[in-house]
Amino acid sequence: MSKHQKEMGVLKEHLGKHQLKYTRQRELILDAFLKQEHITAEEMYHQLARKDPHLGLATIYRTLNLFCEAGLAQARHFGTQTQYDNISHKGHHDHLICTDCGKIVEFENCDIERLQEEVATRNGFTIKTHRLELYGLCSRCRH
Amino acid sequence: MSKHQKEMGVLKEHLGKHQLKYTRQRELILDAFLKQEHITAEEMYHQLARKDPHLGLATIYRTLNLFCEAGLAQARHFGTQTQYDNISHKGHHDHLICTDCGKIVEFENCDIERLQEEVATRNGFTIKTHRLELYGLCSRCRH
DNA sequence: TTGAAATTGATAAACCGTCTCAAAAGGAAT
DNA sequence: ATTCCTTTTGAGACGGTTTATCAATTTCAA
Ligand SMILES: [Mn+2]
Ligand SMILES: [Mn+2]
Ligand SMILES: [Zn+2]
Ligand SMILES: [Zn+2]
């Protein structure tokens, strides 16, 4: 029995609903993905090269995008490459990013979210999504 | 006497400090840039093609990046292309973006900024910059 | 006016992610 | 287990955006 029973269930349900198939590659990528908070396709490509040297980069991109559609992942554009954020066991959140060491801290702040809604309403907008990223130095890198 | 006396002064001061030269192209691009709130390099390339058909796209990218260094512009990554934001006559601000028609509304909210600082402090971070973008539908597009 | 240094324009290259397509694999029905 | 249709895969081509290269041109201080 796998460690990631619940998430595998979510994926299989999505696959079933869309006439998609459960493959060895998808299982492999899901396992690797659920071990991280954020990961890029390239990072995963290198990690998995040990387990399966023939796994293609395109397959990793395709599969991570599939996870986004299944609600397990969310694509974030922090730096130059897309980070796939493991949201399987957590709700909406935003990020603090250290520009020196790359450390990423997740946070949630209801007050900020509420004020965002106020701003939107005042301007006649209905918010669908948002991105809030705070860039700076973490405590280690400040010294 | 040009319409953009102040901004031209800012640019010339930056050029002076860095042993850079004041060229016809830089003047042309500055004038076009200051007429917009946000513009992409490609858009400016097409606009200026009338005034100077030989102006190269690389020069536009180089010059807009120069404006960023001089503090006149700020690069923003809303969609697929980089938007250069004219910040010469305004301070920091964030954006509401309509995902349907592309309309962009600028806003400032001190309360949000203060809460961001609180979040950062609580996590040991010192913020240098941030990005806050609210995506949704404007009043026209909601109907 | 001269000449060293910066700039320009054309285009190649880098970068990241998606598309293409023939071969392989999944899986439902038999 | 076999069949057979559909989906998936891997390799590499491709596309859009931005930067790098480099010879020719321009700037500007002496
Ligand atoms: Mn996250
Ligand atoms: Mn703006
Ligand atoms: Zn750090
Ligand atoms: Zn709109």
Side-chain angles (χ1 to χ4, degrees):
Chain A
M1 158 175 322
S2 158
K3 248 180 301 185
H4 305 301
Q5 216 51 38
K6 192 192 86 194
E7 291 82 1
M8 190 169 293
V10 171
L11 178 60
K12 284 190 174 169
E13 188 163 328
H14 178 86
L15 297 177
K17 278 185 190 156
H18 296 80
Q19 305 162 250
L20 306 175
K21 295 177 177 176
Y22 190 71
T23 64
R24 187 179 57 77
Q25 288 88 340
R26 286 174 177 169
E27 179 169 30
L28 202 60
I29 294 169
L30 181 63
D31 268 344
F33 175 67
L34 293 174
K35 288 181 187 145
Q36 324 280 150
E37 226 164 41
H38 310 94
I39 194 166
T40 67
E42 290 272 0
E43 280 165 8
M44 180 163 289
Y45 182 60
H46 290 119
Q47 275 188 25
L48 290 181
R50 282 166 247 156
K51 296 207 168 186
D52 180 356
H54 293 292
L55 189 60
L57 183 56
T59 300
I60 294 184
Y61 274 107
R62 282 188 292 236
T63 305
L64 289 172
N65 289 338
L66 171 70
F67 292 172
C68 290
E69 278 149 30
L72 293 167
Q74 207 166 309
R76 309 262 190 190
H77 307 271
F78 291 152
T80 161
Q81 281 178 259
T82 300
Q83 295 272 349
Y84 290 86
D85 191 338
N86 175 354
I87 58 164
S88 62
H89 57 295
K90 56 196 174 213
H92 167 76
H93 60 271
D94 297 298
H95 299 89
L96 274 157
I97 299 134
C98 178
T99 52
D100 206 58
C101 69
K103 181 180 177 187
I104 298 176
V105 174
E106 306 185 329
F107 71 89
E108 266 184 274
N109 190 297
C110 306
D111 294 334
I112 292 180
E113 307 272 327
R114 188 174 39 71
L115 288 167
Q116 287 175 7
E117 285 295 341
E118 277 182 34
V119 167
T121 303
R122 197 176 307 136
N123 288 278
F125 272 68
T126 311
I127 301 180
K128 283 193 303 200
T129 62
H130 69 261
R131 53 189 298 177
L132 172 57
E133 291 149 19
L134 309 179
Y135 294 90
L137 295 177
C138 72
S139 49
R140 293 174 75 97
C141 294
R142 183 153 1 103
H143 310 298
Chain B
M1 157 174 325
S2 158
K3 249 179 301 186
H4 306 301
Q5 218 48 41
K6 194 191 86 195
E7 291 83 1
M8 190 169 293
V10 171
L11 177 60
K12 284 188 173 169
E13 187 164 327
H14 178 86
L15 296 177
K17 278 185 189 156
H18 295 80
Q19 307 161 252
L20 305 176
K21 295 176 176 174
Y22 190 72
T23 64
R24 186 179 57 78
Q25 288 88 340
R26 284 173 178 169
E27 178 170 31
L28 201 61
I29 294 169
L30 181 63
D31 268 342
F33 174 68
L34 293 174
K35 288 180 187 145
Q36 325 279 150
E37 224 163 43
H38 309 96
I39 194 167
T40 67
E42 289 272 359
E43 280 165 7
M44 179 164 289
Y45 181 60
H46 290 118
Q47 274 187 27
L48 290 180
R50 280 166 249 158
K51 296 206 168 185
D52 179 354
H54 293 293
L55 189 60
L57 183 56
T59 300
I60 294 185
Y61 273 108
R62 282 187 293 236
T63 305
L64 289 172
N65 289 338
L66 171 70
F67 293 172
C68 290
E69 277 149 31
L72 293 167
Q74 208 165 308
R76 309 261 189 191
H77 307 272
F78 293 152
T80 161
Q81 281 178 258
T82 301
Q83 296 272 348
Y84 290 86
D85 192 337
N86 175 354
I87 59 166
S88 63
H89 59 294
K90 55 195 176 216
H92 167 75
H93 60 270
D94 296 297
H95 299 88
L96 273 157
I97 298 132
C98 178
T99 52
D100 205 57
C101 68
K103 181 180 178 186
I104 298 176
V105 174
E106 306 186 328
F107 72 89
E108 266 186 275
N109 189 297
C110 307
D111 294 333
I112 292 179
E113 307 272 325
R114 186 173 41 71
L115 287 167
Q116 286 175 7
E117 285 295 341
E118 277 182 35
V119 167
T121 303
R122 198 176 306 136
N123 288 279
F125 272 68
T126 311
I127 300 181
K128 284 193 302 202
T129 63
H130 69 262
R131 55 189 297 176
L132 172 57
E133 290 149 20
L134 309 180
Y135 295 90
L137 295 177
C138 73
S139 49
R140 292 175 75 96
C141 294
R142 185 158 355 107
H143 309 300

